Amino acid sequence: MYPPKFGYVIPDSVDEANEFLEKHEDAKALAGGHSLIPMLKLRILRPSYLVELKGLNDLHFIKKEEGKIRIGALTTHYEIVKANLPLLSEAGATVADPQVRNMGTIGGVISHLDPAADYPASLIAMDAVVRIKGTRGEREEPFKDFAKDMFSPDLNPGELVKEVIIPDFKGYSFSYKKLERRAGDYAIVGVAVLLKKETGVVKDVRIGLTAVNNKAVRASEAEKVLLDRSPDEKLIEEAAEKAMSYANPTSDIRGSAEYKKKMTKVMTKRALQDALTR
Amino acid sequence: MRYVGKPVRRVEDPKLITGRGSFVDDIQIPGTYYVAFVRSKYPHARISVKPSQNVFTGSQINPGKDFPIPSNEVTYAGQPIAAVIARDRYEAYDLLESVEVEYEQLPYETDPFRAMEDKVKVYSKAESNIYAKKEFFGGEAKKELEQSPIVLSGELHNQRIIASPMETRGTLAWFDGNRLNVWSSTQSAHYLRRNLVSFLGIQNIRVIQPDVGGAFGSKIITHPEEYAVSFLALKLGIPLKWIPTRTEEMLSAGHGRDKWLRYKVGVKRDGTITAVVGTVVGNLGAPYRDANDDDSGNVMSAARMLPGPYRIKHGFVAAYSVNTNLTPTTSYRGAGRPEATYFIESIIEEIAEELKLDPLEVRLRNVIRPEEMPYTNVFGITYDSGNYPELLNSAKSYYEQLKAEAKDNQCVGLAMYVEITAFGPWETARVYAKYDGRIVVVTGTGPHGQGDATAFAQLAADALEISMDLVEVRWGDTDVIEDGIGTWGSRTVTIGGSAVIMASQELRKRLTEAGAKALEADVEEVEYREGKVVHKKTGKSLELAEIIKSAYKLGISLDVTSVYPVKKPTSPYGVHMALMEIDRETGLISVKKYIAVDDVGNVINPLLAEGQIHGGALQGISQALYEEAVINDGTLQNPTFGDYALPTAVETPRFTWKYLTNGLSPHPTGSKGIGEAGTVVGTPVISNAISSCLKKKFSTMPILLEKVLGDQ
């Protein structure tokens, strides 16, 4: 309930935030605060400083450009839901509860990398790119490389996620299916699907899984089953079966590993059916 | 009847919806220090706490003893073992990290059946892990069982769950140089005062129950921390406040249920039950006496209520209350009766399945007939009044309607209950008139959300034939009424309300006398009507305000306290049913509709009675589907609301409440308790619906998704 003592910094610019974070390796950047503050309250983390990002407007935007969408790191779940972005808005609507969505940010989610978070299933499916800013400039990493392991983003001391870039997926249909026991929970299993059909034939399909591995994965063999085919129930079943082999879940309070593996198939099937009928 | 029976809106609401409630943590006394407790990491260990300034252990609080605060030996993980005192809570929790505790781990036992063998001692100074053992019997159960054409047997576990009121416990204690003042989030100021008087050995204690954010049984007993904080406030002479974190609360308080039944039930081919033989075992957790006395009574209730509303003439049940190295269990909404109801209603469902009979029909064949009322069950509990077949028949139309409505993936289930409510031994009410014309009702009970104050205002206003606007209801301060029992056991409206009626009637008598005197008439010459005293012949009358002023001038006291003694508890009953949807691929269950048909005697306020059913039934549903204290290595694994799944609005069904009034209680209110009924029956409603839908018997809860799929 009570965080340990820490210092608090309000930088005037992203540069200043980068510099401070680089100099103080155990300082933590504070965005929406809905993962960091709970950890502080449980004293799981004991940073020397919190660096307040709120107010750094350079990190707070959604820009739709030719063929892609750039989402500033400080964009909240609520703003993502309202922006009508392919797949991501639908995933955003399932994150936690309304109060959390008012505060939590996409930059925070991917810098934290809870293995049961909702966005990563979509981001991996979308081949999202993460733009990172440090004191020595900016770099871009594909999301699949950025997410090195659970709770382990590819961020060096001083670096911050600046934006997440996704293609606009014009003409795609999509679906995010989240299995949860209660509204507001983390996913037991989450499956994101994006696909493009031309005259009944699947021209592109992307399936992302969350909560069943250390980090989100693409179920590529499942995608191959559907590519250039006109999916029927049997084919969907086959794809869902393949998706299941990408799940390597752990048993915990949300369910046994075996159950979660089975649910990967069920939720994949449902996401595919949903996306195909949209 | 002017107010009683009407859905009068709560008089408690205005301050609560404007943030003007005053809960224990809202109360400030200058110079207050804050207390936090170091808690045991292990289920059983010898401890030594390194002494230092601002750290107080059992050796100072209760030297040589291990309860309420251990001096040498801890018996459950989460047990408070030392108090630290600091200027604010942040500092207090910093200080906690610096307290050095040496643990010498001891063997522990969390399984009550193994604990009964006494191989591992839960507490080294206890003679046995069996805290209490009783046998209840009647008829010739074993013989009947042998002669029964069908004998069903099995084991059921009503799992350990946690009350989880939104406001945790909390105490503020201040010795003002003269007396000890204690504010606490408790279910009764008076009961807490009596316990503190006996623990501290001083009489001059005032206890205040401020607004309380729910309890559900978890705040009846006096908790170790309440004793410790009061002791330290007295010893140190500074105001001390203690508010636990949610995690601490879940580790250390509000654990309830955790009772087992091993049974054999004899059944005839027509579905009538001939005999029940069983063993009830309650896992009491660690040997903290305040808690054990509370929950051991509930174990006995669970055993004695096992026959439910059915005519079972032959029965034998052995009941064991067993200590283990877990958090001590206490009452949780229903307190033993939900376990009994879950046990017998699961068995009824099994009979229906075995004989391919409709579950409602099985009940109809077994319930006690109205002509048998009052009926004493085979274990000695008397059900006072009611018509069980008629209620079942009324419920039938809703049941049929739900079944007709149910689609392929939907199922309907039901369960019946009979309850015991309105326990004694007595309750108080004080009713007095202020000089300016206000009528003040003070109750010895301790409402904490149930809305009884509104009901009391209704009862007093009706007895005095005045507007409710003139009536104020107060409670929760040992200084404003001579004594009291408290709010639990669904007793408040019925027993507390009967005391309010008695005191109001006495006040009415005194008002009549004062009115007669002021009119210079004999009492026989006047009549009390609509708050006025009227001279029968002359027609001259005095308004309430005038009577009150005259009484003060004439030296007539308008301050009445009544004590209502309770002879017997009273038994409400009902049938609840649910329409549920089962996702057969994921195992997700959603409860779509829930219909309750109850007979709780005279309904004082249907709006508030229905509110109690909604709240209670949801807690019952939640036990069946979501809640469970998950224990591993002797420690609670899910002490947060992230992992301990309480339902949200999304998981809550639409409720419909219907009531009959065939069974009035013998109390002046005519009412029976409803506070716990929903929780008593809600759980088997859901487990039975799932069992009947999946044609599968579930003997443990919650019925998790993977269990629905049959993986576990």
Side-chain angles (χ1 to χ4, degrees):
Chain A
M1 184 64 204
Y2 305 96
K5 286 195 177 75
F6 54 80
Y8 183 65
V9 178
I10 307 174
D12 290 329
S13 63
V14 183
D15 285 341
E16 199 184 318
N18 288 139
E19 277 161 32
F20 190 89
L21 287 163
E22 192 176 85
K23 269 193 216 134
H24 303 84
E25 277 198 32
D26 65 340
K28 284 274 170 195
L30 175 64
H34 277 50
S35 298
L36 178 55
I37 292 173
M39 288 196 289
L40 292 176
K41 288 184 160 203
L42 293 168
R43 302 193 173 200
I44 292 167
L45 291 176
R46 290 170 190 269
S48 56
Y49 292 92
L50 293 193
V51 180
E52 174 68 90
L53 303 183
K54 185 178 70 188
L56 299 180
N57 293 332
D58 296 358
L59 301 177
H60 201 163
F61 56 84
I62 298 180
K63 288 176 187 160
K64 295 185 183 175
E65 290 170 357
E66 193 68 20
K68 57 186 173 182
I69 302 164
R70 294 170 47 214
I71 308 162
L74 290 184
T75 308
T76 65
H77 308 317
Y78 174 77
E79 288 160 345
I80 287 170
V81 174
K82 289 286 151 188
N84 222 1
L85 309 177
L87 187 57
L88 214 52
S89 295
E90 189 167 302
T94 72
V95 175
D97 58 44
Q99 288 97 323
V100 171
R101 293 196 289 272
N102 283 339
M103 296 297 290
T105 66
I106 190 168
V109 167
I110 67 166
S111 302
H112 176 58
L113 282 181
D114 189 300
D118 292 294
Y119 288 139
S122 304
L123 296 176
I124 199 102
M126 293 172 125
D127 289 324
V129 169
V130 183
R131 193 164 180 81
I132 299 151
K133 183 185 174 311
T135 52
R136 281 170 292 277
E138 300 187 7
R139 63 189 173 98
E140 286 186 2
E141 295 293 339
F143 177 72
K144 68 174 169 56
D145 301 330
F146 173 81
K148 291 192 297 187
D149 199 348
M150 63 162 91
F151 303 112
S152 304
D154 176 17
L155 285 173
N156 300 313
E159 286 186 326
L160 289 167
V161 170
K162 187 182 179 199
E163 62 189 68
V164 176
I165 304 158
I166 54 171
D168 71 3
F169 291 105
K170 207 165 240 159
Y172 277 67
S173 59
F174 52 84
S175 179
Y176 179 64
K177 292 289 179 203
K178 174 179 184 171
L179 180 64
E180 57 185 4
R181 236 173 123 196
R182 291 180 304 161
D185 279 352
Y186 270 101
I188 301 172
V189 173
V191 180
V193 164
L194 266 169
L195 57 85
K196 189 175 189 170
K197 260 190 323 186
E198 274 168 30
T199 58
V201 177
V202 173
K203 286 293 171 196
D204 187 16
V205 57
R206 296 140 176 272
I207 302 170
L209 310 177
T210 188
V212 286
N213 288 291
N214 283 359
K215 55 180 198 164
V217 294
R218 280 276 288 271
S220 344
E221 291 301 319
E223 294 168 356
K224 279 182 200 157
V225 171
L226 299 164
L227 201 61
D228 295 320
R229 309 276 296 269
S230 304
D232 55 14
E233 244 175 71
K234 204 171 145 261
L235 212 58
I236 292 171
E237 183 81 19
E238 197 185 316
E241 184 79 32
K242 283 258 158 57
M244 190 162 68
S245 65
Y246 286 85
N248 186 21
T250 50
S251 293
D252 61 18
I253 213 148
R254 288 198 284 266
S256 67
E258 193 196 357
Y259 172 76
K260 291 181 187 177
K261 210 165 159 73
K262 267 191 198 168
M263 289 311 107
T264 307
K265 179 177 172 184
V266 172
M267 299 317 273
T268 304
K269 196 171 72 185
R270 290 183 182 186
L272 284 170
Q273 280 164 343
D274 189 30
L276 281 163
T277 49
R278 285 197 190 182
Chain B
M1 292 277 178
R2 295 142 31 100
Y3 292 108
V4 170
K6 298 210 175 99
V8 177
R9 291 191 180 198
R10 277 162 52 105
V11 299
E12 294 93 337
D13 286 344
K15 76 168 183 183
L16 295 172
I17 62 174
T18 52
R20 290 176 174 88
S22 184
F23 298 80
V24 65
D25 203 14
D26 293 319
I27 298 163
Q28 312 265 359
I29 296 206
T32 295
Y33 275 65
Y34 292 84
V35 184
F37 288 89
V38 180
R39 293 178 187 276
S40 176
K41 287 186 212 168
Y42 302 107
H44 195 192
R46 250 181 273 288
I47 52 155
S48 111
V49 182
K50 204 170 160 197
S52 68
Q53 218 193 344
N54 293 343
V55 177
F56 302 89
T57 66
S59 305
Q60 286 133 299
I61 296 165
N62 38 248
K65 294 184 181 166
D66 291 311
F67 296 97
I69 306 295
S71 300
N72 299 303
E73 185 177 342
V74 294
T75 42
Y76 60 99
Q79 184 173 12
I81 54 185
V84 302
I85 290 173
R87 279 170 304 178
D88 64 38
R89 258 170 258 169
Y90 289 86
E91 209 175 84
Y93 280 82
D94 284 345
L95 191 55
L96 277 189
E97 294 186 334
S98 68
V99 178
E100 288 175 39
V101 182
E102 261 180 52
Y103 293 92
E104 181 200 327
Q105 290 195 62
L106 297 170
Y108 66 88
E109 187 54 79
T110 58
D111 180 292
F113 290 97
R114 281 202 304 265
M116 282 163 72
E117 296 167 11
D118 274 328
K119 282 185 190 145
V120 171
K121 277 279 194 68
V122 164
Y123 177 47
S124 64
K125 289 179 189 163
E127 270 177 34
S128 166
N129 295 333
I130 300 176
Y131 184 78
K133 179 196 167 179
K134 280 187 190 167
E135 289 179 350
F136 305 101
F137 49 84
E140 294 180 79
K142 280 174 190 163
K143 196 181 118 204
E144 284 293 322
L145 204 61
E146 276 167 24
Q147 292 171 359
S148 296
I150 300 160
V151 176
L152 302 173
S153 64
E155 179 180 282
L156 293 160
H157 184 209
N158 193 273
Q159 84 278 26
R160 176 175 287 238
I161 55 177
I162 306 176
S164 310
M166 280 296 134
E167 184 207 24
T168 62
R169 296 164 298 156
T171 299
L172 169 62
W174 172 41
F175 180 66
D176 62 13
N178 171 41
R179 69 198 313 211
L180 182 69
N181 302 272
V182 177
W183 290 258
S184 203
S185 185
T186 177
Q187 292 182 228
S188 169
H190 305 283
Y191 181 71
L192 174 56
R193 182 185 168 278
R194 288 196 284 276
N195 283 338
L196 292 177
V197 164
S198 112
F199 179 73
L200 299 172
I202 61 163
Q203 285 290 331
N204 202 357
I205 301 176
R206 176 189 187 187
V207 174
I208 297 164
Q209 175 204 31
D211 285 323
V212 170
F216 314 108
S218 68
K219 299 170 183 173
I220 296 172
I221 68 157
T222 303
H223 291 273
E225 297 91 337
E226 288 175 291
Y227 286 120
V229 171
S230 294
F231 172 88
L232 292 170
L234 189 63
K235 179 188 160 100
L236 303 173
I238 45 173
L240 292 179
K241 190 186 266 187
W242 161 69
I243 309 285
T245 65
R246 174 62 57 186
T247 300
E248 290 182 270
E249 184 75 356
M250 300 199 76
L251 284 169
S252 61
H255 290 221
R257 309 281 192 261
D258 208 351
K259 296 182 185 68
W260 303 74
L261 172 72
R262 287 178 175 169
Y263 65 91
K264 279 188 179 156
V265 174
V267 189
K268 289 192 203 157
R269 302 230 174 263
D270 67 357
T272 51
I273 300 171
T274 55
V276 57
V277 172
T279 304
V280 168
V281 173
N283 184 347
L284 294 192
Y288 175 48
R289 183 141 203 160
D290 293 54
N292 290 174
D293 284 348
D294 175 22
D295 208 35
S296 186
N298 301 336
V299 175
M300 302 308 153
S301 283
R304 298 183 76 192
M305 289 302 286
L306 193 56
Y310 310 111
R311 308 147 84 195
I312 303 174
K313 303 281 187 188
H314 306 276
F316 174 91
V317 61
Y320 296 86
S321 299
V322 183
N323 287 125
T324 63
N325 293 107
L326 292 178
T327 303
T329 52
T330 51
S331 285
Y332 170 57
R333 202 168 185 172
R337 290 101 77 201
E339 294 91 320
T341 307
Y342 169 72
F343 293 150
I344 190 67
E345 292 301 298
S346 299
I347 290 167
I348 294 275
E349 188 67 33
E350 198 184 337
I351 293 170
E353 183 56 34
E354 177 77 24
L355 298 172
K356 305 288 167 222
L357 286 171
D358 184 275
L360 196 140
E361 183 56 36
V362 174
R363 288 175 175 88
L364 264 175
R365 290 179 190 183
N366 281 287
V367 283
I368 297 152
R369 322 308 300 179
E371 61 274 14
E372 295 172 290
M373 287 289 170
Y375 179 93
T376 300
N377 86 8
V378 67
F379 302 137
I381 303 264
T382 301
Y383 312 141
D384 56 346
S385 60
N387 187 333
Y388 299 180
E390 188 182 326
L391 187 128
L392 270 166
N393 283 321
S394 313
K396 199 169 183 173
S397 59
Y398 301 106
Y399 178 59
E400 295 300 335
Q401 195 182 309
L402 287 181
K403 283 204 290 188
E405 224 179 280
K407 297 180 197 124
D408 283 349
N409 56 344
Q410 294 182 326
C411 349
V412 179
L414 83 164
M416 186 173 187
Y417 74 96
V418 61
E419 246 261 76
I420 37 177
T421 67
F423 298 87
W426 45 265
E427 194 50 90
T428 58
R430 178 182 174 201
V431 180
Y432 60 92
K434 299 290 279 184
Y435 184 71
D436 61 12
R438 303 286 291 170
I439 304 295
V440 180
V441 174
V442 187
T443 170
T445 64
H448 43 280
Q450 300 86 347
D452 307 292
T454 304
F456 293 154
Q458 290 173 264
L459 291 166
D462 279 4
L464 295 167
E465 297 181 44
I466 57 174
S467 162
M468 264 183 74
D469 296 341
L470 291 174
V471 183
E472 285 170 25
V473 183
R474 297 181 195 151
W475 68 92
D477 182 342
T478 55
D479 268 10
V480 301
I481 187 164
E482 61 186 55
D483 218 318
I485 297 289
T487 287
W488 50 70
S490 302
R491 65 188 300 277
T492 305
V493 166
T494 301
I495 304 309
S498 293
V500 168
I501 292 177
M502 276 174 74
S504 302
Q505 283 168 346
E506 176 61 23
L507 177 64
R508 179 183 165 127
K509 219 169 105 195
R510 291 204 196 165
L511 287 166
T512 315
E513 284 163 11
K517 238 182 193 169
L519 289 167
E520 295 176 336
D522 286 340
V523 168
E524 294 75 29
E525 292 174 311
V526 301
E527 185 176 61
Y528 182 97
R529 197 197 306 148
E530 303 281 317
K532 292 183 200 124
V533 171
V534 186
H535 196 291
K536 288 187 224 167
K537 282 197 188 123
T538 65
K540 270 203 333 198
S541 74
L542 277 180
E543 298 284 333
L544 183 68
E546 295 169 305
I547 304 168
I548 293 169
K549 286 202 165 118
S550 305
Y552 273 93
K553 285 175 190 153
L554 291 163
I556 299 172
S557 164
L558 297 179
D559 187 349
V560 181
T561 298
S562 294
V563 183
Y564 178 71
V566 182
K567 295 196 187 74
K568 276 178 201 152
T570 178
S571 297
Y573 59 100
V575 172
H576 289 198
M577 58 208 101
L579 172 71
M580 300 186 331
E581 198 162 292
I582 297 189
D583 181 332
R584 287 173 187 271
E585 281 185 322
T586 62
L588 263 181
I589 289 173
S590 51
V591 186
K592 296 290 176 195
K593 285 184 182 174
Y594 188 99
I595 303 177
V597 185
D598 296 295
D599 184 348
V600 294
N602 191 26
V603 175
I604 307 300
N605 185 324
L607 179 71
L608 301 186
E610 182 170 351
Q612 288 298 303
I613 286 293
H614 291 194
L618 184 59
Q619 285 179 310
I621 292 168
S622 188
Q623 178 174 9
L625 294 177
Y626 306 113
E627 294 183 50
E628 177 183 25
V630 180
I631 313 280
N632 219 333
D633 299 329
T635 309
L636 181 70
Q637 302 297 302
N638 54 342
T640 73
F641 285 169
D643 291 329
Y644 187 89
L646 295 173
T648 75
V650 174
E651 289 77 46
T652 303
R654 182 164 290 280
F655 291 99
T656 305
W657 185 56
K658 303 284 172 191
Y659 63 96
L660 304 179
T661 51
N662 286 320
L664 299 186
S665 77
H667 303 289
T669 54
S671 62
K672 297 177 176 181
I674 197 172
E676 294 160 288
T679 318
V680 165
V681 69
T683 302
V685 169
I686 301 307
S687 59
N688 283 350
I690 300 170
S691 300
S692 89
C693 206
L694 298 175
K695 303 279 172 251
K696 187 180 166 200
K697 188 178 151 192
F698 292 92
S699 55
T700 60
M701 295 181 295
I703 302 172
L704 296 172
L705 288 65
E706 47 210 287
K707 286 193 205 165
V708 172
L709 297 188
D711 296 353
Q712 226 185 46

